[in-house]
Amino acid sequence: MSDLWQQIAPWIVSGIGGFIGATLLLPTKLGEALFKYRFDKSIEAVKSDYARELENIKSASARELAGINEKLAHIADRGKLSNDREYKSIAEVWEKFVDCLDQAEAAIVQYTEIPDLDSFTREELASFLSTRNFSKEQVDQVKDSSDKVRAFGQIVRWKYIATAHNTISETRGLLRKQIFIPIVIAEEIEKAIEQASLAVAVELTRFRNPNSGLGTEPAIQFFENRHALLAKVKETVQKRLMRSDGNPDD
């Protein structure tokens, strides 16, 4: 009997130990599974929150980027429009300015060829005067004058001076209205016009009042400087129009 017990006792002890070990192991494995399940669910929740937050950030960034692009496009459009308007304004004022100097020079030089009108018949005189763009009063003034050459010359001289005076006024008026003209160009044009205006004003005064005592110095000074005045403004205008950076604030 004792021999039998000795033989089966290890098996019994081993079975009890295995049962106890299995009993102890069971809660450990179940805990690990529960912990892993809860951990995975937490990770999924964090990932979901992160993904949602990331989408919100992307959406906000996209809206902000769209707003920035819209503002940049608006600024670019305004810059292009400003450059276009400036170019047109400069070109328009430049053409008027050149015409202004030309008319002022003509008012000073007053070059014209006058035939011997006193030897013309009335028909010849009428035909000649019809090509001069004279008013009826001016035509009659020449026809009725005892010195038709002088009368004709006085009218031509007056027309030169009046045309220059009007062109100077028109150029200044145009310049004042051009808000897109750079200041440096406007200032140089105005300085040149001032010399032309002084010369024409003196010529007008001398025409109306030959005994005014005014000399020809302003006219001579303008006549000698006219090419330099034109060249200086031209250089400034060309630099502005041909600038490569497109910066309207230069």
Side-chain angles (χ1 to χ4, degrees):
M1 183 66 177
S2 60
D3 292 336
L4 179 61
W5 174 254
Q6 289 179 356
Q7 290 179 4
I8 65 174
W11 293 96
I12 295 174
V13 173
S14 176
I16 294 174
F19 174 77
I20 295 174
T23 304
L24 293 176
L25 183 62
L26 180 61
T28 302
K29 294 293 184 180
L30 179 61
E32 288 180 356
L34 290 174
F35 176 77
K36 184 176 184 302
Y37 173 78
R38 291 179 179 177
F39 180 78
D40 291 343
K41 295 293 286 183
S42 298
I43 290 297
E44 290 178 3
V46 171
K47 287 182 178 180
S48 177
D49 292 342
Y50 176 78
R52 186 166 50 252
E53 185 65 24
L54 184 60
E55 287 300 320
N56 292 337
I57 293 174
K58 287 181 178 180
S59 177
S61 298
R63 290 193 300 270
E64 183 177 355
L65 182 59
I68 293 174
N69 289 335
E70 183 179 355
K71 290 180 180 179
L72 290 176
H74 180 65
I75 292 173
D77 289 342
R78 289 188 61 185
K80 183 179 183 302
L81 177 61
S82 178
N83 285 340
D84 291 344
R85 291 291 300 273
E86 178 187 298
Y87 188 96
K88 291 177 63 177
S89 296
I90 292 175
E92 184 179 4
V93 170
W94 165 254
E95 292 177 0
K96 195 66 176 179
F97 169 69
V98 173
D99 187 36
C100 174
L101 295 192
D102 288 345
Q103 296 299 335
E105 180 181 345
I108 293 169
V109 176
Q110 300 173 9
Y111 176 78
T112 186
E113 293 183 358
I114 307 176
D116 185 7
L117 300 179
D118 292 309
S119 65
F120 282 22
T121 65
R122 289 193 68 85
E123 291 74 16
E124 290 174 338
L125 182 61
S127 176
F128 174 77
L129 293 177
S130 67
T131 64
R132 301 296 99 178
N133 195 27
F134 281 13
S135 67
K136 183 180 183 304
E137 291 76 11
Q138 291 169 339
V139 170
D140 292 341
Q141 183 180 345
V142 175
K143 286 181 178 180
D144 298 338
S145 175
S146 59
D147 188 347
K148 294 179 176 54
V149 173
R150 184 178 185 281
F152 180 88
Q154 287 293 90
I155 293 174
V156 171
R157 183 184 179 193
W158 163 251
K159 289 173 72 69
Y160 275 130
I161 295 173
T163 300
H165 176 77
N166 292 339
T167 305
I168 288 171
S169 298
E170 292 169 0
T171 305
R172 279 177 164 161
L174 177 63
L175 189 60
R176 284 196 300 270
K177 294 177 182 178
Q178 299 300 324
I179 192 172
F180 291 96
I181 290 287
I183 294 177
V184 62
I185 294 178
E187 289 178 346
E188 287 191 7
I189 290 178
E190 182 56 42
K191 288 178 182 178
I193 292 177
E194 186 62 30
Q195 287 196 37
S197 178
L198 177 60
V200 172
V202 170
E203 288 300 305
L204 177 60
T205 302
R206 294 176 68 241
F207 174 80
R208 289 175 171 173
N209 183 12
N211 299 321
S212 63
L214 293 177
T216 59
E217 291 80 6
I220 294 174
Q221 182 180 13
F222 168 73
F223 185 78
E224 292 177 346
N225 294 339
R226 70 194 189 286
H227 294 306
L229 294 172
L230 185 66
K232 184 176 181 181
V233 175
K234 182 178 181 179
E235 181 182 5
T236 303
V237 167
Q238 287 179 331
K239 285 182 178 179
R240 182 68 183 186
L241 294 181
M242 302 303 175
R243 72 194 190 283
S244 59
D245 57 7
N247 185 353
D249 297 326
D250 284 352

